[in-house]
Each structure stands twice: as structure tokens, then as C-alpha cells.
Amino acid sequence: MRTNHEFRVQLVCTLVALPLIGATLACRCTGTCVPEPPEKPDGGTDAGTDAGTVNAGYHDRDYRFVIPRIPQGQNPPPIDGDTTEGNGPETGWTGAAWYTLEPTGSSVLEAQMAAIGDANNVYLYVEAEASGFNQHDVVVVGLHPTTTGSHYHRLHIFPCKPTSTCPPRDGPNPNPPIVEYYLGSHNGTEYEWKSPGDDAGVTDPGVEAWSAFVHGSSSPSKWSVEIKIPASALSLPASAFYGMYVNVAETNPDVDPAEAEQYTWPPGRLIGAAPDDIYSQLHLGTPQPAQWGYASRSTAFGNGVYILSSDIRTNQSDPSEIALEGPNMFFATAHNNLLVGNTLTDAADVTATFTIANWGLPSLGSFAKVPVTPNPTAPATVPATGSYEFEIGPWALSTTESNDYQSHTHQCIRVTLSSNNPNTVIWRPTAMANMQFVDTNSPFERSASVGTKGYELPAGKTAHEFVLREAFFNVDPALQWTSNIQGAEKPPGQGRRYSLQVPQAQQETTLVTNIDPPAVKIAETRVSVGAGAAAIGGQPVTLAVHAGDLVTVLAQGSLVLRQNAAAGTRVGPNGGDFLARKDLFEKVYLGTTDLKDLATKSRQGRLFALPDAQSPARMVGALVGSWDGFNKSSFLIGQAKTVKAPPGARALYLAINDIKGGAQQQGGQGFQVRAFVTPTQQVFAQANPVVSRDPSRELLHIPTGANLPTWIMRGSRRTGKVVVIEGKSFDVLEPVGSFGYIITQINSAAPGPGRVPKPTERRPER
């Protein structure tokens, strides 16, 4: 018999990746977040009303979404359709939980949602790229506050209905989106739904919603919707977990057959069925309760350990590339905001598994482990509110491997975190990196693979069918890109859409992309951060910035940490871990300390440029940054990173993460750094809304290259199912990911919007 203090651990993988903002609390557990409900003497369960209690018999306890409370003194977000206010962000969304509703490794998200709440309401925000503004586009929200088969709530929010324009609240013709409400029950097999219009016993709960839109030309259009859900009207508990399901269906009725691409939480839980099946109807096809996840408004629980696409890299000049000759190292930085009983807590026994697949749109079955030992890594502790860098390698390719990878040096790198410790919660276990940096004389050509291994073949089909959509970001929409995609068909009259069929037996095919970006000048600064540029006891390199600037930093090269041990202490911009290298430990730490002393000194005062919470001893020699000369501000840059200058910032300081006295022992070439400094432009915020937010108020995870011209190919596959929305049938498409190129140089181009500050220039704040 279990007690209410026992935990169950289940190891599960799913493809999720996204740049998240603030105290992101979307919870995807490897170990359970909270104790299981106690068993009743009769063998049943009693979920009760205690904070965090979960009834495992109804929903999928592997998916948790903890909705943070609005901080004291902060007003809730106004319901007007977007998260901006004037030229800046709405402060009501500060600290919200953000979740990516797609499997992607790209630098621009296709669909995402956010949630925050107060004592009386839950606020949801959803945005999605759109083929157009169609009245059939719909957001489905399911909520289940009880532990019985009754009181299922389902909301249908149509952002662009009835006008197909998604008019904003402050626009010339404001019109709120249509909100439909249904109250249902489930008998163990199927639902029964009723609405206020057809049952006198069903009361409209008073959900408020408003939508907004962004028209795209070269870049995709996008609609968004804000939703205010009164908690008491739907009996949502203040602390206990309750069932939740979200589905965002972006429709395209202008193609034949019409399509509905669905982005869901929990991921992969689509609405649809075979043609002519009654469950293809939107209002009848709600996924079974076991496919819903759990949400909570409790302040006693937090999120846990997570990883993002921008946290993954190799030691090569392009972070997604492997070398056919020479050693390959792989790095992944895990972050931790685990909260247990209102206390921020270390996350113990976390491991990372590194897998790779040919770059492009690989299926889950296409990935294979990087062939090094150990992989997964040894268990590690991720500090509370801190981070830990996992590292594997070196991997030197054999002759056979080198031949195999000759035409596939760029790899999609996927990292999955797990833990067998019941007290460690991993809510964002998997991310993948799937973007390339490109210097081009224009045009440039690259190959990409599309994999099918593991996909279920639709009934009656002999090949998997994919829909590909080309998109451009971070440039003036009036500027034109040209492209040629070999290996896919481009149906006439459908813009930048392509179709692709891959026979079931083939499992993988290749696309050849020829891209000619618009002729824009990309301003950059090049500096060297070499020996002696240590933050402690050295001289940092300074780049002038303005408050609010976006700065993308790319670094390559190597540094010899200790010239008396040159053969073993050479590191790249990601640094090196010498704690486990007994043969080099004394040489790196100058013979003045040992492991015990290192930990003690780290607690008593900052021993490295990076704070103790970022596990600095695991990244000795890494490239690091600061906004105040390493007084209080300090963060890892490594091989590639994009950051936003906070209010009051005048410079970005670049240095080497080392101990006092280490600067004098360094040697070697050092790091060659390329810095791209730009104001935060509206076109950047349209692609990645996170860049408009205030870095002094919340932790921003900005996708690398968010201020550089970007080309992306989206992919989705036909599932063989249909969904009927408002009487119209749509083929159900499932997103399978994205890949793309971040342009860092276009030769012979016209001037652009960047700024080129002198490396040591100090400017007054604007």
C-alpha cells in the first residue's frame, strides 16, 4: 500500500523547445511533481482538496502546468488581444508561464501560450502563425476541476469570428471573438456536452476574450487572443491540481483539401477522426480524459529543471556542426527553478542524453545517441535558481563515420534530461538545436533531410505526405527573399507552400535549399577576447551599447588556461570542467586549493566571474558577459548567445571565467568574437515577442540570432484524420518541427539598421 509520501517515477521523452520568459512554470515531469493520492481501504482513491493532490485515474500526471500568481502590486493584464502596451510590454504578463505549442528547434516560434492568475481569475494568452485570418480558427480549452466524471468545462474561442479579420480592441472596428461554452460529463467511454443555449441548467460563466493580429508580407501573419477565465464560475480550485487541455487549430480553407494544423498541450493530443466518423466533429472529438494534463494555481509548487534550444551546442564554429576530423564536444546547459514547499531547491541526480539526426526535419525515430561514454551523462545537481553545463566527448569520427557524415556535417542535436530522484521535477525535459549560421555571398545552398521513421502511415496511403511552409523574419517586410527548394513540389497559387511525399520504405529524403536573402548590410563588431581578459584579476573587453539594445554574440577559437599544462587545459568559448580531472585539477587551480576548499571559497565569496548558482567550476575558461563590469551582473555567453541590455546599461563587458590569478597563467590565441548590436525593432518583436520585455523585471531567454535576418522552413504531416469545425471539414495536420538559417553576413549589401560601436566606446544612456 502506498502512503501519501511515496512517489512514482516515469521516464518519458517528448520533443519540446522554446525560448521561455520569466518564471516559466509549464511542468513536464520525469519524476512526479507531488505525492500520489493515498489508497482508500476499498482500493479506490481520494484526491481530496490538499494543495497539489492529483487523481491519477483521470488525467495524464506526466504533464503539469503550474500557473503562477500575479505578483503583489502588479495589475492583471488587460484583455485586449496582445501582450504589448504602446512600444513596450504589458506589465500584467510579467512572471507568466510561457509554453511552446510545437516541436521545434527554430529561433522563431510558430505557436505559444502563456498563463498567469490571481485569486479570482486565470489569464491565458495564445498566439499562432496564420495562413490568413479565418473564422474557423479556434482555441479549445478544456478544464476539469473535480475528481469525478462530471463538471467538464470546454471553451471554444474563435479569434477571427465572425468577421475573419481578428480586429483589435483599440482598432477602428473592434469586435470581440466568439466564445462558446459547454458543460459536460464523461461516463468512462464518451462525453455528453450541453451549452447554455440548449439547456436551462447550464449557465454562461462569463469568459472574456479579445483578439489581435499582425499582417505579414514576406513574414507570416499572426493572430493572438487573450482570455480571462473566472475561476469561481468554473469551480477551479485555488491549490489542488485540476485537469486541463489546450488545442490551437489554425485553419486554411483556401487550399484543397482544407487544412487545420493543431498545436496542443499536452503535446500531440489532436482532435480528429477518420472521415465520416462522428468523433471528427470538433464538439465531440475532445480527447479522452487520460490525454489531458494537470494544471494548478497553487503558490506552493514551482516548475523545476528545463532546457532550451539555445542551451545546446558543439565545439565547432557553427554550434550545430560536427567535424569530420578532430574531436567533437557536445554541451547543454540545464536551468533550475524547482520550488518545493515555497522553498527554491537544488535539483539532484539530473542526467542528460545527447542524440543527433541529420539536419532538417527528423522524426523521433531518426535520432541516435552520440557514440561516446558516458551518454547519458553522470548524475549532477543543478543549483536552485541556477544552471549546470553538461558536457560529453570527445567524439573523433572513425573512417566509416566520416564517410557517412560527409554530406551531413550539420546535425540536429537533441538533448533529453531525466532523473530517478523522486524529489527532482523536470518540466521541460527535451530541446533540440536546428538552426545554422550563414555568411553568404548570396545565394547559398544547403541540404536538409526529412525523416519518417516512427510515424504512423495514414490508412490507405503508401507514402507519408508533408506540407512545408517557407517563412522569413527580422528584416523589413518590403524586402524580398528568393528561393528554390529542390525535392519538393510547389503547388500553383499557394504562395511559399510546398508538398512532399516520402514512401514508407524510404524513411528519409533530402531537400536542397537555394536561398538568396535581401541585400541588407548587417552591422557587426569584431573583437578578440584573449589571454588576460579575465573578469577577476584581468581586463575585460568592452562593447558600447544602449539600454534596450539586442546583442548577438558569436565566438570561436581556443584559450590555454595554464601554459604549464598546455596539452590538457585548452578550452573553447564554452569552457571546460576540470573538477573530475585529477591529473589537471592542481594545474588549473594553481595548487592553492582542492575540491573541498573550492566549495568552501565558492560559498564564502565569488571565486569565479560567474556566480556559484551557475556552476562556474564546470565552465572554467568560458566566455562570459556582464552589464556592470562583473560587479553584480554576470552570465554565460559561451559560443553563441543573444541578450537584451537592461535599463541603465552602457556597455557589455566580455571576459574569461577564471579564478583570481588565473589571468596571468593564460595563453593561446583566445576567442574571436563577432557582436551584432541593434536597437529592438518592431520587426524583431513580431517574430519573438520576448524581445520587447524588460530584462530588469524578469529572466529573458531570447533565441540566439533574434536580431538577425532569418529563413525558416516549417513542416507538418497529414495524419489521415479530419476535423469538422462549424460544419466545414479540414484535414488534420500535425506539426513536425522547423529548420532554418540565421544570416550573419551578406556581402556587397546596402546599409542596414544595425549599429557598429567601437569596442571600447562608452556612450551616455539615451
Side-chain angles (χ1 to χ4, degrees), residues 576-641:
D577 179 5
F578 295 94
L579 291 182
R581 296 288 307 275
K582 294 182 180 179
D583 57 327
L584 293 174
F585 181 88
E586 287 293 329
K587 294 178 181 179
V588 170
Y589 294 105
L590 310 178
T592 62
T593 184
D594 58 25
L595 283 171
K596 182 178 180 181
D597 293 335
L598 181 64
T600 302
K601 288 183 180 181
S602 187
R603 285 195 301 267
Q604 292 175 346
R606 194 161 75 185
L607 187 64
F608 292 88
L610 291 175
D612 190 47
Q614 295 186 38
S615 306
R618 308 281 177 180
M619 297 176 282
V620 186
L623 181 65
V624 294
S626 173
W627 300 116
D628 62 2
F630 296 94
N631 181 21
K632 294 182 179 179
S633 165
S634 183
F635 47 88
L636 174 69
I637 289 180
Q639 195 173 11
K641 193 175 185 70

Side-chain angles (χ1 to χ4, degrees), residues 14-16 28 63 99 264-269:
T14 186
L15 273 177
V16 286
R28 171 69 169 92
Y63 292 90
Y99 186 89
T264 71
W265 186 89
R269 314 294 169 89

Side-chain angles (χ1 to χ4, degrees), residues 528-541 558-566 569-572 575 578 587-588 590 607-609 619-624 654-671:
S528 177
V529 181
I536 300 177
Q539 182 60 50
V541 174
S558 64
L559 181 81
V560 177
L561 279 174
R562 304 294 178 258
Q563 296 186 72
N564 63 347
T569 65
R570 185 178 295 276
V571 296
F578 295 94
K587 294 178 181 179
V588 170
L590 310 178
L607 187 64
F608 292 88
M619 297 176 282
V620 186
L623 181 65
V624 294
L654 302 174
I656 306 299
N657 180 50
D658 206 344
I659 61 175
K660 185 177 181 180
Q664 290 73 33
Q665 302 296 320
Q666 296 168 0
Q669 181 183 18
F671 304 136

Side-chain angles (χ1 to χ4, degrees), residues 213-416:
F213 67 88
V214 173
H215 273 298
S217 51
S218 63
S219 61
S221 298
K222 181 186 294 184
W223 56 253
S224 58
V225 60
E226 286 180 304
I227 308 163
K228 179 181 177 181
I229 302 173
S232 59
L234 299 183
S235 302
L236 300 181
S239 56
F241 277 91
Y242 53 88
M244 187 172 82
Y245 170 76
V246 178
N247 183 309
V248 180
E250 192 281 309
T251 64
N252 186 353
D254 299 326
V255 295
D256 186 18
E259 300 165 351
E261 186 159 12
Q262 298 183 26
Y263 313 92
T264 71
W265 186 89
R269 314 294 169 89
L270 307 178
I271 295 177
D276 300 325
D277 190 318
I278 189 173
Y279 291 109
S280 66
Q281 301 287 329
L282 178 70
H283 65 290
L284 296 177
T286 306
Q288 291 292 307
Q291 292 188 302
W292 294 29
Y294 280 102
S296 177
R297 303 163 60 218
S298 174
T299 59
F301 297 97
N303 41 19
V305 181
Y306 62 96
I307 187 171
L308 309 172
S309 296
S310 55
D311 294 321
I312 301 170
R313 53 211 177 274
T314 70
N315 63 329
Q316 306 306 322
S317 57
D318 189 315
S320 68
E321 195 171 24
I322 60 173
L324 299 178
E325 297 181 2
N328 291 285
M329 303 294 296
F330 296 79
F331 305 88
T333 303
H335 311 274
N336 176 30
N337 281 310
L338 178 61
L339 187 72
V340 178
N342 296 310
T343 301
L344 290 165
T345 306
D346 291 351
D349 302 317
V350 179
T351 64
T353 301
F354 291 75
T355 57
I356 55 176
N358 289 338
W359 188 83
L361 296 174
S363 63
L364 271 176
S366 303
F367 284 89
K369 281 187 179 181
V370 177
V372 298
T373 302
N375 185 18
T377 63
T381 296
V382 185
T385 68
S387 59
Y388 184 95
E389 184 174 76
F390 291 96
E391 173 185 329
I392 66 167
W395 174 34
L397 276 65
S398 67
T399 301
T400 300
E401 290 172 332
S402 182
N403 291 334
D404 290 342
Y405 286 100
Q406 187 73 42
S407 59
H408 297 286
T409 56
H410 281 281
Q411 291 285 294
C412 178
I413 307 168
R414 180 172 175 266
V415 177
T416 300

